[in-house]
């Protein structure tokens, strides 16, 4: 990739990873990018590096702007190796004694990643660093999404270098939000649902903090995907909405099946849900990747989960998605379970226990059918779906009443 001058004297010298399709368990059919930013001022700063195997491409990109040896410092906003993987090689090339600015926890974590004793300099929130005509301000963003994470703000250009925050796993010829339009939002939503959802309360606090500080922001430059320059407020508002875990009139029916019985149940339940005016999508686990399911979970109000009983327990794909979902801590959900069984039939109870552990409001009892559903079994599944659909509508009315009460008390 040729470096792109994103503002006068500021370049994206990062790389595209067109071929990655699995990013530690997250499906990335569009690949991703590792953005790295070069700020050429009286002093030259490099903000974040790239995954180790792309180090040569990073050097090539930098070389088209300046000799890499002229970089005076590196800012490491985040220790995860897709951004720090080339750090040791960069320091070897530019000079081991040059400073690497990072958060206090970055200091600790970078030291646990690299054997070289680099010249780390820990910075605190609000601390400023002059590059000459421009100034960097650091902002710790602990657990968004690692302990070491921080943002760096370039005051004079009103640019926020936001590390993973506001990123998307997307590689494309477009470098800015205005070049791709709304099509980028699905990638941003998927990123939030799979990487950041667990930290939603902290993100909400951070978004509020940024809004209260009234920081003028002309551009948000994440470490993955496109840069937000047309309307940075749009992604900030989306983060506020996603962090609030707002749901809509929508249900998903996640299931696996052995001999199509649980599949027939899933489709009948989905039909019953739909009859109540609720958007619904059956999601067969051997068609849908767990990370795409999580994207749908983010704004769904009901999560209905179905599994056959295999060896007295859940089907393995269900154990996978339930473990993954539990870790990401979705909230404000209605849950329900179903499944076909042959003789012991433990799966439905096991799913219910998992959904209850996630604090979902359950529609119980779950629906179990022995072997193959007949017409009356399918009717029962349809009725179960209707009950779930009604619960979705009722929860919406209850939260509307809550909102009215809250607003009145204000
Ligand atoms: Fe893109 Fe948390 O690394």
């Amino acid at each position: 990739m040729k470096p792109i001058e994103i503002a006068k004297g500021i370049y994206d010298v990062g790389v595209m990873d067109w071929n990655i399709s699995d990013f530690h368990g997250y499906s990335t059919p569009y690949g991703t990018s590792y953005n790295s930013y070069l700020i050429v001022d009286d002093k030259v700063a490099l903000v974040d590096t790239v995954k180790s195997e792309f180090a040569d491409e990073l050097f090539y990109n930098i070389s088209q702007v300046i000799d890499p040896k002229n970089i005076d410092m590196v800012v490491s906003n985040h220790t995860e190796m897709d951004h720090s993987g080339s750090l040791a090689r960069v320091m070897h090339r530019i000079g081991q004694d040059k400073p690497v600015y990072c958060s206090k926890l970055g200091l600790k974590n970078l030291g646990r990643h690299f054997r070289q004793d680099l010249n780390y300099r820990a910075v605190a929130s609000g601390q400023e660093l002059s590059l000459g005509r421009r100034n960097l301000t650091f902002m710790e963003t602990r657990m968004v999404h690692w302990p070491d994470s921080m943002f760096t703000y370039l005051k004079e250009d009103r640019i926020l270098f936001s590390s993973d925050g506001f990123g998307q796993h997307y590689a494309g010829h477009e470098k800015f939000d205005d070049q791709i339009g709304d099509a980028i939002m699905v990638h941003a939503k998927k990123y939030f649902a799979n990487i950041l959802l667990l930290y939603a309360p902290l993100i909400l606090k951070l978004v509020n903090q940024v809004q209260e500080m009234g920081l003028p922001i002309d551009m948000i430059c994440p470490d993955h995907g496109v840069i937000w320059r047309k309307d940075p407020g749009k992604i900030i508002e989306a983060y506020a909405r996603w962090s609030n875990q707002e749901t809509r009139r929508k249900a998903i029916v996640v299931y696996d099946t052995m001999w199509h019985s649980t599949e027939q149940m899933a489709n009948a339940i989905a039909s019953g849900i739909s009859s109540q005016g609720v958007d619904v999508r059956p999601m067969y686990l051997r068609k849908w990747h767990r990370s795409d399911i999580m994207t749908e979970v983010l704004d769904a109000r009901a999560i209905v989960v179905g599994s056959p009983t295999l060896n007295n327990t859940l089907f393995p794909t269900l154990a996978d998605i339930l473990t993954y979902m539990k870790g990401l801590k979705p909230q404000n959900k209605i849950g329900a379970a179903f499944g076909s069984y042959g003789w012991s039939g433990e799966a439905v109870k096991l799913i219910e226990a998992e959904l209850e552990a996630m604090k979902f409001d359950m529609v119980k009892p779950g629906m179990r059918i022995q072997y193959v559903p007949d017409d009356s079994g399918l009717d029962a599944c349809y009725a179960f779906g209707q009950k779930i659909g009604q619960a979705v509508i009722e929860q919406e009315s209850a939260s509307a009443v809550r909102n009215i009460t809250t607003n009145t008390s204000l």
Side-chain angles (χ1 to χ4, degrees):
M1 193 177 93
K2 291 272 178 198
I4 296 168
E5 189 168 24
I6 60 170
K8 194 158 174 46
I10 304 168
Y11 302 82
D12 178 5
V13 289
V15 302
M16 293 290 172
D17 189 349
W18 298 101
N19 291 338
I20 190 168
S21 58
D22 182 325
F23 190 97
H24 61 46
Y26 172 140
S27 73
T28 51
Y30 291 86
T32 193
S33 69
Y34 312 113
N35 303 342
S36 170
Y37 299 99
L38 188 71
I39 307 170
V40 181
D41 203 80
D42 298 344
K43 293 216 183 264
V44 179
L46 183 70
V47 180
D48 288 325
T49 71
V50 299
K51 218 173 176 182
S52 58
E53 55 262 46
F54 294 92
D56 287 331
E57 200 175 329
L58 174 68
F59 290 133
Y60 171 74
N61 293 345
I62 295 169
S63 301
Q64 293 179 71
V65 183
I66 54 156
D67 184 333
K69 286 198 193 82
N70 293 329
I71 293 174
D72 295 295
M73 67 191 78
V74 172
V75 174
S76 172
N77 275 334
H78 180 25
T79 306
E80 197 166 7
M81 283 182 284
D82 47 335
H83 310 298
S84 73
S86 299
L87 182 63
R89 277 193 64 196
V90 166
M91 298 318 292
H92 181 71
R93 181 86 175 255
I94 72 173
Q96 303 267 24
D97 55 332
K98 289 183 177 169
V100 178
Y101 293 96
C102 56
S103 66
K104 283 189 214 86
L105 289 167
L107 178 72
K108 191 171 155 202
N109 289 354
L110 285 166
R112 303 291 300 176
H113 281 71
F114 300 103
R115 294 177 183 200
Q116 295 87 339
D117 193 14
L118 299 175
N119 181 12
Y120 298 122
R121 300 209 188 155
V123 292
S125 262
Q127 192 172 327
E128 291 200 4
L129 178 69
S130 172
L131 299 178
R133 288 157 290 153
R134 294 176 169 102
N135 293 282
L136 299 175
T137 309
F138 304 105
M139 187 191 304
E140 284 183 85
T141 58
R142 272 185 207 188
M143 299 319 297
V144 180
H145 70 122
W146 272 29
D148 49 73
S149 298
M150 69 173 189
F151 288 176
T152 298
Y153 180 65
L154 184 56
K155 201 158 49 173
E156 290 71 18
D157 297 88
R158 296 147 74 114
I159 295 177
L160 184 69
F161 298 101
S162 60
S163 181
D164 280 334
F166 312 114
Q168 332 92 46
H169 281 315
Y170 178 78
H173 65 275
E174 311 92 339
K175 199 62 233 177
F176 298 97
D177 55 344
D178 47 284
Q179 293 169 335
I180 186 167
D182 278 347
I184 198 60
M185 292 309 288
V186 67
H187 302 288
K189 182 182 173 193
K190 182 171 178 177
Y191 194 92
F192 185 94
N194 286 275
I195 306 280
L196 300 173
L197 180 60
L198 168 62
Y199 305 108
L202 291 173
I203 293 166
L204 196 58
K205 225 164 121 185
L206 180 68
V207 167
N208 288 338
Q209 193 188 331
V210 169
Q211 282 170 337
E212 277 162 22
M213 284 162 77
L215 276 189
I217 297 174
D218 287 349
M219 214 182 280
I220 297 178
C221 296
D223 278 354
H224 298 288
V226 303
I227 292 167
W228 306 91
R229 71 173 175 190
K230 181 178 173 221
D231 186 7
K234 183 175 176 168
I235 188 65
I236 294 175
E237 278 161 28
Y239 264 50
R241 201 168 56 250
W242 295 333
S243 303
N244 261 321
Q245 304 219 32
E246 290 174 14
T247 60
R248 60 186 191 86
R249 198 177 280 195
K250 169 179 159 184
I252 57 169
V253 181
V254 180
Y255 71 96
D256 206 336
T257 194
M258 291 171 70
W259 293 104
H260 302 291
S261 293
T262 304
E263 179 185 4
Q264 287 185 57
M265 293 177 75
N267 293 341
I269 290 168
S271 178
I273 294 172
S274 173
S275 74
Q276 302 304 298
V278 173
D279 282 353
V280 64
R281 178 175 291 283
M283 303 189 87
Y284 176 38
L285 275 163
R286 279 182 267 179
K287 171 182 173 185
W288 292 89
H289 192 272
R290 69 172 84 82
S291 50
D292 293 314
I293 291 173
M294 271 318 297
T295 311
E296 296 301 320
V297 165
L298 182 61
D299 60 357
R301 193 165 304 144
I303 315 298
V304 187
V305 181
S307 173
T309 296
L310 176 69
N311 304 330
N312 305 115
T313 189
L314 295 172
F315 213 67
T317 47
L318 268 301
D320 177 310
I321 187 67
L322 288 169
T323 304
Y324 188 62
M325 198 188 300
K326 195 185 335 185
L328 286 161
K329 291 193 167 56
Q331 288 171 16
N332 309 330
K333 306 294 182 198
I334 292 163
F338 67 97
S340 156
Y341 68 101
W343 46 101
S344 57
E346 291 90 343
V348 169
K349 287 236 169 308
L350 290 169
I351 294 169
E352 285 179 338
E354 289 297 317
L355 298 181
E356 277 165 350
M358 292 185 232
K359 301 191 170 45
F360 287 11
D361 291 332
M362 299 299 293
V363 177
K364 282 174 87 172
M367 178 63 54
R368 295 191 329 149
I369 289 181
Q370 192 170 25
Y371 293 115
V372 181
D374 58 13
D375 287 352
S376 68
L378 291 175
D379 287 347
C381 288
Y382 182 86
F384 185 53
Q386 285 180 308
K387 204 168 147 190
I388 295 165
Q390 285 158 14
V392 167
I393 308 282
E394 277 161 23
Q395 196 186 76
E396 185 172 277
S397 315
S399 61
V401 169
R402 263 200 308 277
N403 286 341
I404 290 166
T405 314
T406 313
N407 291 336
T408 310
S409 65
L410 285 172

